[in-house]
Amino acid sequence: MPVDEAKLNELMEKMVGDLGAAFSTALVVIGDKLGLYKVMNESGPLTPSELARHSLTSERYVREWLNAQAAGGFVTYDARSGKYFLTEEQAYALADESSPVFIPGAFQIIGSVIKDEPKLTESFRTGKGFAWHEHDPGLFEGTERFFRPNYAAHLVQSWIPALDGVEEKVRSGAHVADVGCGHGASTLLMAQAYPRSTFVGFDYHQGSIESARRRAADAGLADRVRFEVASAKDFPGSDYDLVAFFDSLHDMGDPVGAPSHVRESLAADGTWMIVEPRAGDSVEENLNPVGRVFYSASTLICTPASLAQEVGLALGAQAGEARLRRVASEAGFTRIRRAAETPFNMVLEARV
Ligand SMILES: C[S@@+](CC[C@H](N)C(=O)[O-])C[C@H]1O[C@@H](n2cnc3c(N)ncnc32)[C@H](O)[C@@H]1O
């Protein structure tokens, strides 16, 4: 079959865009680490040498970085003054840690999996898992920084209120577990919002639990939050009013065994909240830019994480609601519904 030149050009054009995007990983991580975006946000338009001076970096590197970033639309160049600046939107995405769309954490995640590539390539050959805790540590902090803004924007404002009867319970004093809590971003946001309740975050990864404890102490919340190393199938405690899984169910080796344990640990009228990436039920529904990001993360992080544990069901990050409902039913939950959603997440409520 002869090559269709127009189609080939179209493909190459897309590849060139993607090559620039792929290089952005290192560029954004560098800009974030050195505070270049933050300095630009605070100072307004700057020449490369001004930015270098304010950020204590080298002018020649910063000048080239600025041009790469301007060509990608991450910063803006004013040819008349020779200065570079961030638009409101660029600052919102790249410089403001409190914005709901703060994105550098995602680039930190991508940077971490590139470092892990040789081990992941080997896993493709052997079929063996590659566990969450075996990853480059950039994954743990990147996940916290990427997910936290989303939780800060939705968890207390809309996800908890969307659950049947849960908001009243946590306002008046409930017992809550956050399973697979990582650095505890979601746990701490809930603890801050509901001072009468007590919260415990569990994660099998010791390093993440130590980070979560430091975050709790820094936030002055250590009196109502505990973080403990425990797996989803044997975390301690009973009579929980709410057990929440934030983007952790599909990373587990046994995503049916875990909710079976949740069911046993809940109070009679307790709720299991499952936050998962939003996905359609069929592959073709997910062949879009968001699905591309999730399938990629799933290939390099979530699927190997699950395969590294017992059972190794490997749901993947794009399992879809129908598959997740089946998992919850197999674990003994009968009332399962989609309580809320955002462009990236769905929130399922499951009750016995
Ligand atoms: C994608 S991260 C999400 C972390 C956190 N919930 C958040 O939203 O920022 C998945 C987490 O699940 C944890 N995890 C995976 N399998 C687990 C298991 N079987 N038991 C407990 N935690 C588990 C990992 O250690 C990791 O911290």
Side-chain angles (χ1 to χ4, degrees), residues 89-112:
E89 297 74 26
Q90 288 165 339
Y92 207 47
L94 292 159
D96 179 359
E97 299 251 2
S98 69
S99 115
V101 295
F102 182 72
I103 202 86
F107 289 91
Q108 221 176 331
I109 294 174
I110 299 167
S112 80

PDB file of all heavy atoms in Angstrom, residues 89-112:
ATOM      1  N   GLU A  89      -4.414  33.260  33.086  1.00  0.00           N
ATOM      2  CA  GLU A  89      -4.716  31.824  32.971  1.00  0.00           C
ATOM      3  C   GLU A  89      -3.451  30.988  33.153  1.00  0.00           C
ATOM      4  O   GLU A  89      -3.465  29.939  33.803  1.00  0.00           O
ATOM      5  CB  GLU A  89      -5.355  31.517  31.609  1.00  0.00           C
ATOM      6  CG  GLU A  89      -6.706  32.197  31.365  1.00  0.00           C
ATOM      7  CD  GLU A  89      -6.593  33.701  31.087  1.00  0.00           C
ATOM      8  OE1 GLU A  89      -5.528  34.143  30.593  1.00  0.00           O
ATOM      9  OE2 GLU A  89      -7.566  34.428  31.386  1.00  0.00           O
ATOM     10  N   GLN A  90      -2.344  31.464  32.541  1.00  0.00           N
ATOM     11  CA  GLN A  90      -1.074  30.728  32.695  1.00  0.00           C
ATOM     12  C   GLN A  90      -0.644  30.724  34.161  1.00  0.00           C
ATOM     13  O   GLN A  90      -0.177  29.703  34.679  1.00  0.00           O
ATOM     14  CB  GLN A  90       0.008  31.368  31.802  1.00  0.00           C
ATOM     15  CG  GLN A  90      -0.214  31.092  30.316  1.00  0.00           C
ATOM     16  CD  GLN A  90       0.616  31.995  29.403  1.00  0.00           C
ATOM     17  OE1 GLN A  90       1.067  33.066  29.803  1.00  0.00           O
ATOM     18  NE2 GLN A  90       0.791  31.570  28.158  1.00  0.00           N
ATOM     19  N   ALA A  91      -0.821  31.855  34.828  1.00  0.00           N
ATOM     20  CA  ALA A  91      -0.454  31.921  36.249  1.00  0.00           C
ATOM     21  C   ALA A  91      -1.338  30.993  37.079  1.00  0.00           C
ATOM     22  O   ALA A  91      -0.858  30.299  37.988  1.00  0.00           O
ATOM     23  CB  ALA A  91      -0.589  33.362  36.752  1.00  0.00           C
ATOM     24  N   TYR A  92      -2.609  30.948  36.744  1.00  0.00           N
ATOM     25  CA  TYR A  92      -3.569  30.116  37.476  1.00  0.00           C
ATOM     26  C   TYR A  92      -3.182  28.630  37.376  1.00  0.00           C
ATOM     27  O   TYR A  92      -3.284  27.881  38.338  1.00  0.00           O
ATOM     28  CB  TYR A  92      -4.946  30.343  36.852  1.00  0.00           C
ATOM     29  CG  TYR A  92      -6.118  30.130  37.773  1.00  0.00           C
ATOM     30  CD1 TYR A  92      -6.160  30.677  39.055  1.00  0.00           C
ATOM     31  CD2 TYR A  92      -7.225  29.394  37.334  1.00  0.00           C
ATOM     32  CE1 TYR A  92      -7.260  30.480  39.870  1.00  0.00           C
ATOM     33  CE2 TYR A  92      -8.335  29.200  38.153  1.00  0.00           C
ATOM     34  CZ  TYR A  92      -8.333  29.736  39.414  1.00  0.00           C
ATOM     35  OH  TYR A  92      -9.419  29.545  40.224  1.00  0.00           O
ATOM     36  N   ALA A  93      -2.700  28.238  36.198  1.00  0.00           N
ATOM     37  CA  ALA A  93      -2.353  26.827  35.984  1.00  0.00           C
ATOM     38  C   ALA A  93      -0.962  26.476  36.509  1.00  0.00           C
ATOM     39  O   ALA A  93      -0.731  25.351  36.948  1.00  0.00           O
ATOM     40  CB  ALA A  93      -2.437  26.494  34.491  1.00  0.00           C
ATOM     41  N   LEU A  94      -0.022  27.442  36.468  1.00  0.00           N
ATOM     42  CA  LEU A  94       1.379  27.081  36.701  1.00  0.00           C
ATOM     43  C   LEU A  94       2.012  27.693  37.954  1.00  0.00           C
ATOM     44  O   LEU A  94       3.026  27.185  38.439  1.00  0.00           O
ATOM     45  CB  LEU A  94       2.221  27.491  35.475  1.00  0.00           C
ATOM     46  CG  LEU A  94       1.924  26.673  34.209  1.00  0.00           C
ATOM     47  CD1 LEU A  94       2.369  27.417  32.963  1.00  0.00           C
ATOM     48  CD2 LEU A  94       2.613  25.312  34.291  1.00  0.00           C
ATOM     49  N   ALA A  95       1.425  28.781  38.468  1.00  0.00           N
ATOM     50  CA  ALA A  95       2.107  29.488  39.568  1.00  0.00           C
ATOM     51  C   ALA A  95       1.329  29.497  40.873  1.00  0.00           C
ATOM     52  O   ALA A  95       1.898  29.755  41.928  1.00  0.00           O
ATOM     53  CB  ALA A  95       2.384  30.940  39.143  1.00  0.00           C
ATOM     54  N   ASP A  96       0.033  29.213  40.810  1.00  0.00           N
ATOM     55  CA  ASP A  96      -0.818  29.385  41.990  1.00  0.00           C
ATOM     56  C   ASP A  96      -1.203  28.022  42.581  1.00  0.00           C
ATOM     57  O   ASP A  96      -2.127  27.359  42.107  1.00  0.00           O
ATOM     58  CB  ASP A  96      -2.077  30.172  41.569  1.00  0.00           C
ATOM     59  CG  ASP A  96      -3.034  30.382  42.723  1.00  0.00           C
ATOM     60  OD1 ASP A  96      -2.748  29.909  43.845  1.00  0.00           O
ATOM     61  OD2 ASP A  96      -4.087  31.008  42.500  1.00  0.00           O
ATOM     62  N   GLU A  97      -0.480  27.628  43.652  1.00  0.00           N
ATOM     63  CA  GLU A  97      -0.706  26.300  44.254  1.00  0.00           C
ATOM     64  C   GLU A  97      -2.130  26.136  44.765  1.00  0.00           C
ATOM     65  O   GLU A  97      -2.603  25.025  44.954  1.00  0.00           O
ATOM     66  CB  GLU A  97       0.253  26.055  45.430  1.00  0.00           C
ATOM     67  CG  GLU A  97       1.714  26.072  45.077  1.00  0.00           C
ATOM     68  CD  GLU A  97       2.407  24.710  45.117  1.00  0.00           C
ATOM     69  OE1 GLU A  97       1.750  23.696  45.384  1.00  0.00           O
ATOM     70  OE2 GLU A  97       3.619  24.682  44.863  1.00  0.00           O
ATOM     71  N   SER A  98      -2.822  27.260  45.000  1.00  0.00           N
ATOM     72  CA  SER A  98      -4.173  27.133  45.570  1.00  0.00           C
ATOM     73  C   SER A  98      -5.241  27.081  44.478  1.00  0.00           C
ATOM     74  O   SER A  98      -6.428  26.959  44.779  1.00  0.00           O
ATOM     75  CB  SER A  98      -4.451  28.317  46.503  1.00  0.00           C
ATOM     76  OG  SER A  98      -4.575  29.496  45.729  1.00  0.00           O
ATOM     77  N   SER A  99      -4.853  27.174  43.218  1.00  0.00           N
ATOM     78  CA  SER A  99      -5.877  27.162  42.164  1.00  0.00           C
ATOM     79  C   SER A  99      -6.360  25.734  41.899  1.00  0.00           C
ATOM     80  O   SER A  99      -5.592  24.779  42.046  1.00  0.00           O
ATOM     81  CB  SER A  99      -5.310  27.799  40.885  1.00  0.00           C
ATOM     82  OG  SER A  99      -5.234  26.860  39.854  1.00  0.00           O
ATOM     83  N   PRO A 100      -7.617  25.572  41.500  1.00  0.00           N
ATOM     84  CA  PRO A 100      -8.130  24.210  41.273  1.00  0.00           C
ATOM     85  C   PRO A 100      -7.512  23.529  40.056  1.00  0.00           C
ATOM     86  O   PRO A 100      -7.693  22.338  39.863  1.00  0.00           O
ATOM     87  CB  PRO A 100      -9.639  24.425  41.064  1.00  0.00           C
ATOM     88  CG  PRO A 100      -9.802  25.868  40.742  1.00  0.00           C
ATOM     89  CD  PRO A 100      -8.651  26.601  41.370  1.00  0.00           C
ATOM     90  N   VAL A 101      -6.798  24.311  39.216  1.00  0.00           N
ATOM     91  CA  VAL A 101      -6.204  23.696  38.024  1.00  0.00           C
ATOM     92  C   VAL A 101      -4.673  23.734  38.066  1.00  0.00           C
ATOM     93  O   VAL A 101      -4.029  23.625  37.030  1.00  0.00           O
ATOM     94  CB  VAL A 101      -6.719  24.381  36.728  1.00  0.00           C
ATOM     95  CG1 VAL A 101      -8.208  24.159  36.542  1.00  0.00           C
ATOM     96  CG2 VAL A 101      -6.396  25.886  36.723  1.00  0.00           C
ATOM     97  N   PHE A 102      -4.103  23.869  39.258  1.00  0.00           N
ATOM     98  CA  PHE A 102      -2.632  23.899  39.381  1.00  0.00           C
ATOM     99  C   PHE A 102      -2.058  22.578  38.840  1.00  0.00           C
ATOM    100  O   PHE A 102      -2.388  21.509  39.345  1.00  0.00           O
ATOM    101  CB  PHE A 102      -2.233  24.106  40.842  1.00  0.00           C
ATOM    102  CG  PHE A 102      -0.752  24.205  41.039  1.00  0.00           C
ATOM    103  CD1 PHE A 102      -0.061  25.328  40.623  1.00  0.00           C
ATOM    104  CD2 PHE A 102      -0.055  23.167  41.638  1.00  0.00           C
ATOM    105  CE1 PHE A 102       1.326  25.415  40.799  1.00  0.00           C
ATOM    106  CE2 PHE A 102       1.323  23.251  41.824  1.00  0.00           C
ATOM    107  CZ  PHE A 102       2.010  24.374  41.401  1.00  0.00           C
ATOM    108  N   ILE A 103      -1.220  22.656  37.815  1.00  0.00           N
ATOM    109  CA  ILE A 103      -0.879  21.461  37.028  1.00  0.00           C
ATOM    110  C   ILE A 103       0.539  20.907  37.199  1.00  0.00           C
ATOM    111  O   ILE A 103       0.783  19.753  36.819  1.00  0.00           O
ATOM    112  CB  ILE A 103      -1.183  21.763  35.521  1.00  0.00           C
ATOM    113  CG1 ILE A 103      -1.377  20.496  34.682  1.00  0.00           C
ATOM    114  CG2 ILE A 103      -0.121  22.656  34.898  1.00  0.00           C
ATOM    115  CD1 ILE A 103      -2.745  19.959  34.701  1.00  0.00           C
ATOM    116  N   PRO A 104       1.513  21.642  37.762  1.00  0.00           N
ATOM    117  CA  PRO A 104       2.873  21.085  37.776  1.00  0.00           C
ATOM    118  C   PRO A 104       3.000  19.698  38.403  1.00  0.00           C
ATOM    119  O   PRO A 104       3.875  18.920  37.994  1.00  0.00           O
ATOM    120  CB  PRO A 104       3.676  22.140  38.549  1.00  0.00           C
ATOM    121  CG  PRO A 104       2.996  23.419  38.197  1.00  0.00           C
ATOM    122  CD  PRO A 104       1.515  23.053  38.208  1.00  0.00           C
ATOM    123  N   GLY A 105       2.146  19.362  39.376  1.00  0.00           N
ATOM    124  CA  GLY A 105       2.222  18.025  39.981  1.00  0.00           C
ATOM    125  C   GLY A 105       2.091  16.920  38.936  1.00  0.00           C
ATOM    126  O   GLY A 105       2.732  15.867  39.041  1.00  0.00           O
ATOM    127  N   ALA A 106       1.274  17.156  37.903  1.00  0.00           N
ATOM    128  CA  ALA A 106       1.092  16.138  36.866  1.00  0.00           C
ATOM    129  C   ALA A 106       2.388  15.922  36.102  1.00  0.00           C
ATOM    130  O   ALA A 106       2.748  14.785  35.752  1.00  0.00           O
ATOM    131  CB  ALA A 106      -0.022  16.566  35.908  1.00  0.00           C
ATOM    132  N   PHE A 107       3.127  17.008  35.863  1.00  0.00           N
ATOM    133  CA  PHE A 107       4.405  16.872  35.156  1.00  0.00           C
ATOM    134  C   PHE A 107       5.433  16.162  36.038  1.00  0.00           C
ATOM    135  O   PHE A 107       6.275  15.411  35.553  1.00  0.00           O
ATOM    136  CB  PHE A 107       4.906  18.251  34.717  1.00  0.00           C
ATOM    137  CG  PHE A 107       4.083  18.831  33.582  1.00  0.00           C
ATOM    138  CD1 PHE A 107       2.978  19.633  33.827  1.00  0.00           C
ATOM    139  CD2 PHE A 107       4.404  18.545  32.265  1.00  0.00           C
ATOM    140  CE1 PHE A 107       2.218  20.150  32.792  1.00  0.00           C
ATOM    141  CE2 PHE A 107       3.649  19.059  31.211  1.00  0.00           C
ATOM    142  CZ  PHE A 107       2.556  19.869  31.476  1.00  0.00           C
ATOM    143  N   GLN A 108       5.326  16.401  37.348  1.00  0.00           N
ATOM    144  CA  GLN A 108       6.203  15.700  38.300  1.00  0.00           C
ATOM    145  C   GLN A 108       5.953  14.177  38.224  1.00  0.00           C
ATOM    146  O   GLN A 108       6.892  13.388  38.267  1.00  0.00           O
ATOM    147  CB  GLN A 108       5.837  16.191  39.705  1.00  0.00           C
ATOM    148  CG  GLN A 108       6.996  16.443  40.613  1.00  0.00           C
ATOM    149  CD  GLN A 108       6.513  17.033  41.951  1.00  0.00           C
ATOM    150  OE1 GLN A 108       5.486  17.718  42.032  1.00  0.00           O
ATOM    151  NE2 GLN A 108       7.256  16.763  42.996  1.00  0.00           N
ATOM    152  N   ILE A 109       4.686  13.794  38.091  1.00  0.00           N
ATOM    153  CA  ILE A 109       4.342  12.366  37.958  1.00  0.00           C
ATOM    154  C   ILE A 109       4.969  11.800  36.684  1.00  0.00           C
ATOM    155  O   ILE A 109       5.595  10.735  36.696  1.00  0.00           O
ATOM    156  CB  ILE A 109       2.801  12.181  37.912  1.00  0.00           C
ATOM    157  CG1 ILE A 109       2.165  12.571  39.241  1.00  0.00           C
ATOM    158  CG2 ILE A 109       2.442  10.748  37.529  1.00  0.00           C
ATOM    159  CD1 ILE A 109       0.636  12.566  39.229  1.00  0.00           C
ATOM    160  N   ILE A 110       4.821  12.531  35.588  1.00  0.00           N
ATOM    161  CA  ILE A 110       5.345  12.039  34.304  1.00  0.00           C
ATOM    162  C   ILE A 110       6.878  11.917  34.388  1.00  0.00           C
ATOM    163  O   ILE A 110       7.458  10.925  33.944  1.00  0.00           O
ATOM    164  CB  ILE A 110       4.913  12.967  33.144  1.00  0.00           C
ATOM    165  CG1 ILE A 110       3.381  12.995  33.042  1.00  0.00           C
ATOM    166  CG2 ILE A 110       5.530  12.496  31.821  1.00  0.00           C
ATOM    167  CD1 ILE A 110       2.831  14.094  32.153  1.00  0.00           C
ATOM    168  N   GLY A 111       7.508  12.927  35.012  1.00  0.00           N
ATOM    169  CA  GLY A 111       8.966  12.870  35.181  1.00  0.00           C
ATOM    170  C   GLY A 111       9.377  11.624  35.949  1.00  0.00           C
ATOM    171  O   GLY A 111      10.379  10.974  35.629  1.00  0.00           O
ATOM    172  N   SER A 112       8.586  11.263  36.957  1.00  0.00           N
ATOM    173  CA  SER A 112       8.949  10.101  37.789  1.00  0.00           C
ATOM    174  C   SER A 112       8.845   8.806  36.986  1.00  0.00           C
ATOM    175  O   SER A 112       9.700   7.931  37.108  1.00  0.00           O
ATOM    176  CB  SER A 112       8.074  10.037  39.045  1.00  0.00           C
ATOM    177  OG  SER A 112       6.813   9.477  38.756  1.00  0.00           O
TER     178      SER A 112
END
